[in-house]
Amino acid sequence: MRMRRSLAAVIAAAALAGLGLTGAATATAATARGGPSYVTPSQCTQGGGTPDLAHNVCKGGTHNGEKID
């Protein structure tokens, strides 16, 4: 069972690298470690959210609650 999970993780990492999404994986890892996460207003909109520039946060979508830089 442990081997299957390890293999699945390797395949997922290879798929992300092949699609050019390593930046997204790195950003996710930085957020998981507690690092600050900032997005641009256009990234917020592309992720399905609405930039709230009064409070500098993204509301909704994939970047919900992340600070806007």
Side-chain angles (χ1 to χ4, degrees):
M1 189 70 166
R2 178 180 260 173
M3 184 63 143
R4 287 184 187 174
R5 288 182 187 161
S6 297
L7 182 60
V10 169
I11 290 172
L16 286 174
L19 295 175
L21 298 176
T22 55
T26 304
T28 302
T31 304
R33 288 191 307 256
S37 177
Y38 295 99
V39 295
T40 64
S42 63
Q43 287 173 322
C44 177
T45 304
Q46 288 173 358
T50 304
D52 180 358
L53 299 178
H55 299 102
N56 289 332
V57 294
C58 182
K59 292 190 175 184
T62 57
H63 299 291
N64 187 36
E66 293 185 39
K67 294 187 182 236
I68 295 179
D69 186 28

